[in-house]
Amino acid sequence: MSYQHQYVDGTRIHFPIGKVVCIGRNYAEHAKELDNPVPTEPLLFIKPGSCVVELEGGFAIPTERGSVHYEAEIAVLIGKPLSTKPSREEVLDAISGFAPALDLTLRDKQAELKAKGLPWEIAKSFDGAAVLAPFVVGSTFADLTDIGIRLTINGEVRQDGNSSAMLNPIVPMIQHMAGCFSLQAGDVILTGTPVGVGPLNVGDDIVLELVGASSFTSSVR
Ligand code: ZN
């Protein structure tokens, strides 16, 4: 079944899936674990809408293409157009929801591309490379600099981060992105991953949470 945005109560969100705008190395501890320098300006990349799949019910990974790494991230659903230099209020007004997500990466392929100074799309934009849970409404969090994201695999907590540790917090990040290219209703922002990334394996049981707000179980097929 093709992907459609929805809220946790099952309500369909009638925006088409747009692009997925991602930020790399937005948590210093994660940049360090992959031996990457902490960027001086936000490192952005885009996944096409075609790579988005639902978390619930299980998801497939392309193991035949090398190591597939998970990156648990806080996803933000954009519900109104944003461009040029939106104000803080305009950004807050444009946020329709939050969900936990997995930014999947062909890590061997990415390392090869990075070493050659080439773009990352082949490693980041394959079908199924953005795994999204249903959203909670935008007003769920009073403080966007205190949102917990946690990933548990086979009963073991692998990533347990908080937006308080982001180098570029959510609102300034979206302001910056909208200054680089227009954001539209249905676009999704992936806000970077905390420390603890690693490989996924077929058969893994997954629990992915926005701590205290939403929690989902799934498995890797
Ligand atoms: Zn990521």
Side-chain angles (χ1 to χ4, degrees):
M1 206 177 69
S2 65
Y3 175 85
Q4 169 73 48
H5 293 312
Q6 60 176 315
Y7 286 116
V8 287
D9 68 359
T11 312
R12 296 289 207 186
I13 305 172
H14 293 288
F15 304 135
I17 174 67
K19 59 187 175 294
V20 182
V21 183
C22 306
I23 184 165
R25 306 173 198 167
N26 199 30
Y27 292 78
E29 292 296 317
H30 165 63
K32 267 190 237 164
E33 76 180 333
L34 295 183
D35 282 329
N36 287 315
V38 173
T40 50
E41 73 174 278
L43 170 59
L44 306 185
F45 60 96
I46 293 178
K47 293 178 179 240
S50 55
C51 69
V52 178
V53 294
E54 286 175 13
L55 173 72
E56 292 183 295
F59 58 94
I61 58 170
T63 49
E64 71 284 359
R65 296 173 68 181
S67 169
V68 181
H69 269 209
Y70 57 81
E71 297 183 358
E73 310 201 4
I74 300 165
V76 181
L77 177 62
I78 300 298
K80 290 182 180 174
L82 291 171
S83 60
T84 326
K85 281 206 163 80
S87 67
R88 183 179 173 79
E89 290 65 36
E90 286 170 323
V91 169
L92 291 171
D93 186 51
I95 293 177
S96 287
F98 295 94
L102 294 174
D103 167 13
L104 299 186
T105 306
L106 297 172
R107 194 68 80 197
D108 301 337
K109 188 72 193 171
Q110 187 195 32
E112 186 188 314
L113 294 167
K114 273 163 66 177
K116 293 179 186 163
L118 295 172
W120 299 354
E121 272 83 358
I122 291 168
K124 285 281 194 183
S125 299
F126 56 90
D127 292 1
V131 185
L132 285 183
F135 291 88
V136 294
V137 295
S139 57
T140 302
F141 300 101
D143 181 359
L144 303 193
T145 61
D146 184 15
I147 302 176
I149 172 82
R150 185 185 295 141
L151 172 66
T152 305
I153 301 179
N154 302 328
E156 185 187 326
V157 175
R158 298 287 183 85
Q159 291 188 279
D160 193 2
N162 189 288
S163 62
S164 62
M166 289 180 178
L167 300 170
N168 300 276
I170 289 173
V171 172
M173 177 197 317
I174 295 174
Q175 287 176 302
H176 177 79
M177 288 170 171
C180 295
F181 28 70
S182 292
L183 300 175
Q184 290 154 331
D187 287 351
V188 172
I189 311 300
L190 293 186
T191 57
T193 196
V195 71
V197 301
L200 274 182
N201 294 294
V202 172
D204 283 347
D205 288 316
I206 305 279
V207 182
L208 188 58
E209 306 167 71
L210 291 184
V211 180
S214 65
S215 177
F216 306 90
T217 57
S218 188
S219 59
V220 183
R221 284 191 262 109

